[in-house]
Amino acid sequence: MTHATGRPLGQRFREVLDIVGKLGSCTCSEITARMTGEIEPRHTWTYCTRAVSLGLMSVDRSRRPVKYQLADGSQTMLEAMASTAKPVKAEPPAPLSAADTVALALRTQPNCVFALARGGCGAC
């Protein structure tokens, strides 16, 4: 799952979002205590601040410790990020024929030393 900047949203990041969704308003310590495996609290803080910067969570900094909660519409944003639809790439242009390649070279490349000095193209 990636977002607008193209960085993938990992398993731990989604786990933090799930925990905050279940608990409602909670602190980093509460999130860390409920995560699977061993994780340092500073990493939980990183996940939370990243989610806030992406608009997936909101933070209440009016009191200590700060409390995080899911932002309104975060589920729809997550679903949009998780979509696997890739943009359709345009087909590359067909290769030029030999005659077209020569004609293009004559039009765009200097054909004498004097044209090189002028910085332009064309006959001398």
Side-chain angles (χ1 to χ4, degrees):
M1 174 173 19
T2 60
H3 53 86
T5 61
R7 292 181 60 193
L9 299 178
Q11 192 70 28
R12 290 283 198 179
F13 187 84
R14 288 187 296 248
E15 184 180 3
V16 167
L17 293 175
D18 289 340
I19 291 169
V20 173
K22 291 175 188 171
L23 295 179
S25 182
C26 55
T27 65
C28 279
S29 304
E30 294 169 340
I31 297 169
T32 304
R34 286 168 178 77
M35 290 188 74
T36 58
E38 195 170 313
I39 184 168
E40 293 183 29
R42 65 186 171 105
H43 294 303
T44 306
W45 178 83
T46 303
Y47 297 134
C48 291
T49 54
R50 185 172 170 202
V52 169
S53 69
L54 291 173
L56 297 172
M57 286 179 15
S58 61
V59 61
D60 178 17
R61 291 189 174 97
S62 63
R63 56 192 169 150
R64 295 281 184 209
V66 295
K67 296 232 177 204
Y68 295 92
Q69 63 185 21
L70 284 183
D72 296 333
S74 61
Q75 290 301 324
T76 56
M77 289 172 59
L78 276 174
E79 290 167 6
M81 288 179 192
S83 70
T84 58
K86 301 210 179 218
V88 178
K89 293 183 180 179
E91 282 191 32
L96 296 175
S97 67
D100 291 337
T101 304
V102 170
L104 178 65
L106 288 175
R107 281 195 317 265
T108 59
Q109 296 176 359
N111 58 2
C112 66
V113 240
F114 302 111
L116 286 172
R118 288 193 307 260
C121 304
C124 298

